[in-house]
Amino acid sequence: MTPIITLDLDGVLMQNPFGSYVIPTVLKHLEGSAKLTHLTREEAHKALRQAVTQEWQARMDRRDFVAAYHWDDIYQTVGRHYDIHDMPDVTALVNEGVAAGHVHALPGAHEALHLLRDAGFRTVALTNGYRKYQWPVLEGIGLAPLLDGLESPEAHGYAKPQPELFHAVGDVTAHFGDTLEHDILGANLAGVKAVWIVPALPDEQACVSGEELNSPAFQPFFDEMQRKSIYLKHHPEATQQLLTPWVAVRNVLDGARAIASRLT
Ligand SMILES: [Mg+2]
C-alpha cells in the first residue's frame, strides 16, 4: 500500500478567498437589514462580524466541530436573525473569488507536492474546510492535479483534531499543518508524525525537532505560539506533549525536504 502524506490547506498550501472576498460580500448583503439602519456602515459590519463569530463560537462550544465549518448554514442563521432570507451561495462566492484572483498558492506548494510524490507518497488534502469551498480553490491555483484526494469533515462526521478524521484517510505517514490545536494535536492523537508549518520560526535552520522546540532555545517561542492559539480552549485534551510536533519548518517545501531526507 502506498504511504500517504496528508496536508492541511489554509496556511500550508493556499490562501483562500474568504477574508478578501467571501466575507466582505456576505457582510455587504446583510448590511441592508432593517435591524441595522440605526448604525453606520462600519458599525453594522462590526455587529455582523460579531454575530458570525458568536454563531461559530456556539458551535465550537458544543463541540459540534463539523457544523462549525458549514459556512452556508452559519451565514443563513445570522441572516435569519437580521430578517435577510436570500443569502448568497458560498460556493458561488468562492468561485467568483477564485476567478477574481483572491486566491494563491503559498510559496513552495507546487514544488513540495512534486517532491513528496517523487519520494513515493500519495498526497491527500486533510482540511476542516468543506470540499465544496476548498476544491475550487485548488483547481484555480493549479494544485488539484498534484493531490490524490481531499478529505473533509462533512464526509466523515469528524473534524481536526479528532483522530477519527485522520484514521478515515488510511495509512498516513505524516501530516502537515499550521494550527497547533488542529493539525499537531490531531496528528499526535492519531499516531501520525506531525510537521508543523510555522513561518515565524525564529531560526535560520530549515527544520527544528520537537525536542528542540521544548529546549530553552525555543521554549519562549513555542509558549508564545501556544498562547496565540485561539482554538486551544476548545481542546482540554491538549497536553504539551500532544502539541509538540515531530518537526517544525518555515514552509511546506522545507517540510517535504524533511520527509524526503528522513523517511525515505
Ligand atoms: Mg491551516
Side-chain angles (χ1 to χ4, degrees):
M1 206 157 67
T2 310
I4 297 168
I5 301 288
T6 53
L7 303 102
D8 174 42
L9 291 178
D10 302 307
V12 173
L13 289 176
M14 70 185 212
Q15 171 65 54
N16 73 45
F18 276 76
S20 66
Y21 186 76
V22 174
I23 295 170
T25 308
V26 167
L27 297 184
K28 202 166 157 49
H29 190 80
L30 288 165
E31 72 188 16
S33 166
K35 289 186 173 177
L36 294 166
T37 48
H38 63 294
L39 300 177
T40 66
R41 188 161 178 267
E42 199 175 303
E43 289 167 343
H45 279 213
K46 193 175 171 201
L48 289 165
R49 281 182 191 276
Q50 280 172 353
V52 170
T53 301
Q54 272 168 20
E55 181 57 31
W56 169 80
Q57 188 80 50
R59 295 167 188 232
M60 291 295 281
D61 285 345
R62 63 175 189 259
R63 293 180 70 83
D64 192 346
F65 302 134
V66 178
Y69 298 96
H70 192 175
W71 291 107
D72 280 286
D73 193 54
I74 290 173
Y75 295 145
Q76 282 165 18
T77 301
V78 172
R80 280 195 296 278
H81 177 77
Y82 285 98
D83 298 327
I84 302 286
H85 298 279
D86 61 338
M87 292 303 292
D89 177 64
V90 175
T91 305
L93 295 183
V94 166
N95 282 312
E96 289 173 21
V98 170
H102 289 272
V103 294
H104 59 262
L106 295 183
H110 288 85
E111 298 91 326
L113 292 174
H114 276 295
L115 199 160
L116 290 170
R117 289 184 144 200
D118 290 347
F121 294 99
R122 292 178 69 219
T123 53
V124 175
L126 186 61
T127 172
N128 279 355
Y130 284 18
R131 169 182 283 272
K132 62 183 178 178
Y133 310 141
Q134 299 286 58
W135 195 255
V137 180
L138 292 168
E139 288 185 318
I141 59 181
L143 291 179
L146 298 175
L147 289 162
D148 294 294
L150 179 151
E151 301 298 340
S152 49
E154 78 283 13
H156 299 287
Y158 296 100
K160 293 181 290 188
Q162 293 173 302
E164 291 89 343
L165 185 62
F166 290 81
H167 294 150
V169 181
D171 180 21
V172 180
T173 299
H175 174 72
F176 287 43
D178 65 318
T179 303
L180 281 173
E181 62 275 43
H182 288 163
D183 298 294
I184 310 310
L185 174 60
N188 282 330
L189 286 170
V192 166
K193 284 187 169 60
V195 178
W196 185 26
I197 309 297
V198 52
L201 195 64
D203 197 277
E204 296 301 307
Q205 9 176 347
C207 187
V208 173
S209 72
E211 198 180 330
E212 287 173 288
L213 275 181
N214 286 307
S215 72
F218 288 97
Q219 188 78 61
F221 168 75
F222 195 28
D223 287 347
E224 175 65 12
M225 294 303 285
Q226 289 182 40
R227 268 196 295 278
K228 287 182 179 166
S229 297
I230 57 170
Y231 313 102
L232 200 49
K233 64 177 170 152
H234 299 289
H235 300 292
E237 69 275 34
T239 60
Q240 181 76 12
Q241 192 182 355
L242 285 171
L243 289 172
T244 299
W246 176 58
V247 294
V249 292
R250 282 184 167 172
N251 58 63
V252 66
L253 183 53
D254 284 343
R257 287 178 176 139
I259 293 286
S261 66
R262 296 175 187 216
L263 292 184
T264 58

